[in-house]
Amino acid sequence: MSVNLKFSYWKYVIIPRGRREEGGEEKGGRGRMRKGRNRVEEKKKEEEGELKSIKLAMAIKVHGISLSTCTARVLLCLHEKGLDYELVHVDVASGAHKKQPYLSLNPFGLVPAIDDGNVRLFESRAINRYLARKHEDIGIDLLRSKTLTESAIVETWMEVEAHQFNGPIYAINHQMIISPLYGLDPDEKIIKSELEKLEKVLDVYEERLSKSAYLAGENYTLADLNHIPFLVYFMRTPHASVVTARPHVSVWWNNISTRKATIEVAAGMKLH
């Protein structure tokens, strides 16, 4: 290595070429290498920023709020599939969902709605079917679409959730959770009547789940997923025992409520 020699009162100072001398600037190969590395790092950051912007632009836009059970139903599907999405907050408190421009997404003024490129949809169960079909080969097959019989069974229990389970649990949650938010007392007569209906549905579930791990068979599907948002809130009420008192329903709920996607989405469903 070629060196410069400087005489010091105390010692000889050996300074290799390309190193910084006192009061001087960096010279030589190492300085150029460092500047080169800095340029590479800056370029990499720029590219990462551009990539993030592109992914955000391409991400499925979900218009809604995380507290909404129907919005949460869609988010659960997106999480299970590992799809990129952007939650576009709709100011429900101010009535934004009942005005334009939101009404152009859902003319009934309810959340959620999605914007997936040139596809705009509303109704959470329909959205989930669309997502599961479009991204059939990504992540878990939530419709068991490879087999006609399995797919038909999934569809059957999805119908059960929508037409048998949803009605009573919605009414109970409304009385137990929503009414108090508006300073209203829960109507105990409605709660009692709807609990009786819900228990009859859960008796059917208990029988079904004594024969299979999930409602549509041995695989987790939309038939199970679609139940989760209302159950998240219901299990925080004093009536959660109607679920836990039924052994197979209780095991089923424990299995679906501890999934990674459920934990992530439920974290955004805390009212207090």
Side-chain angles (χ1 to χ4, degrees):
M1 177 172 61
S2 178
V3 301
N4 295 330
L5 297 182
K6 281 190 177 180
F7 183 78
S8 167
Y9 287 102
W10 307 106
K11 60 185 176 180
Y12 288 100
V13 179
I14 302 177
I15 306 174
R17 287 181 180 173
R19 296 290 297 273
R20 182 187 300 274
E21 297 185 25
E22 187 177 354
E25 297 181 352
E26 245 178 41
K27 300 177 182 179
R30 293 193 182 184
R32 287 192 295 272
M33 288 174 62
R34 187 168 299 161
K35 289 177 182 177
R37 282 197 300 269
N38 290 341
R39 283 195 293 271
V40 169
E41 289 173 1
E42 288 172 4
K43 183 67 174 176
K44 185 178 178 182
K45 288 179 181 178
E46 288 177 6
E47 290 174 351
E48 288 175 350
E50 289 173 2
L51 183 60
K52 191 175 293 184
S53 297
I54 292 170
K55 287 182 70 176
L56 190 61
M58 294 177 64
I60 299 164
K61 290 180 173 57
V62 182
H63 300 261
I65 57 173
S66 60
L67 292 174
S68 156
T69 49
C70 293
T71 302
R73 184 177 287 125
V74 172
L75 298 184
L76 281 165
C77 185
L78 290 165
H79 277 252
E80 287 288 353
K81 284 290 185 180
L83 300 172
D84 291 327
Y85 72 89
E86 177 188 358
L87 180 58
V88 181
H89 180 76
V90 178
D91 192 354
V92 173
S94 70
H97 58 310
K98 301 295 184 182
K99 307 171 187 174
Q100 292 293 359
Y102 184 77
L103 288 176
S104 66
L105 294 171
N106 184 345
F108 296 101
L110 300 171
V111 294
I114 70 162
D115 187 347
D116 184 21
N118 61 352
V119 177
R120 290 183 171 184
L121 296 172
F122 55 92
E123 294 296 340
S124 62
R125 294 173 182 84
I127 292 170
N128 279 359
R129 280 186 175 94
Y130 163 78
L131 293 171
R133 286 174 182 151
K134 179 178 179 180
H135 303 285
E136 175 187 329
D137 297 325
I138 299 176
I140 184 172
D141 181 2
L142 291 168
L143 287 172
R144 304 300 297 165
S145 50
K146 297 289 194 299
T147 306
L148 178 61
T149 301
E150 288 186 38
S151 179
I153 294 171
V154 173
E155 292 284 348
T156 298
W157 286 96
M158 287 172 67
E159 290 294 305
V160 171
E161 182 276 326
H163 300 293
Q164 304 295 331
F165 174 85
N166 187 76
I169 200 168
Y170 170 85
I172 295 164
N173 281 357
H174 192 278
Q175 292 298 320
M176 295 295 299
I177 298 170
I178 305 301
S179 290
L181 292 177
Y182 290 92
L184 302 174
D185 293 329
D187 189 321
E188 294 300 332
K189 288 184 180 179
I190 293 177
I191 293 173
K192 181 180 178 183
S193 173
E194 297 301 328
L195 272 173
E196 289 173 359
K197 295 176 186 177
L198 181 62
E199 290 197 78
K200 288 179 181 179
V201 174
L202 292 179
D203 285 341
V204 175
Y205 283 25
E206 180 68 11
E207 172 65 19
R208 173 65 179 172
L209 292 166
S210 70
K211 299 173 182 176
S212 59
Y214 299 98
L215 288 171
E218 297 305 321
N219 298 284
Y220 177 76
T221 66
L222 285 183
D224 308 292
L225 181 151
N226 284 351
H227 288 79
I228 292 174
F230 276 106
L231 278 170
V232 166
Y233 285 125
F234 180 81
M235 296 304 287
R236 297 172 185 169
T237 75
H239 302 294
S241 59
V242 303
V243 170
T244 57
R246 292 166 170 77
H248 296 99
V249 174
S250 183
V251 170
W252 168 74
W253 169 243
N254 183 65
N255 287 340
I256 65 177
S257 64
T258 55
R259 295 180 68 85
K260 183 174 181 288
T262 306
I263 293 169
E264 291 171 345
V265 174
M269 299 175 68
K270 294 177 181 176
L271 294 168
H272 305 293

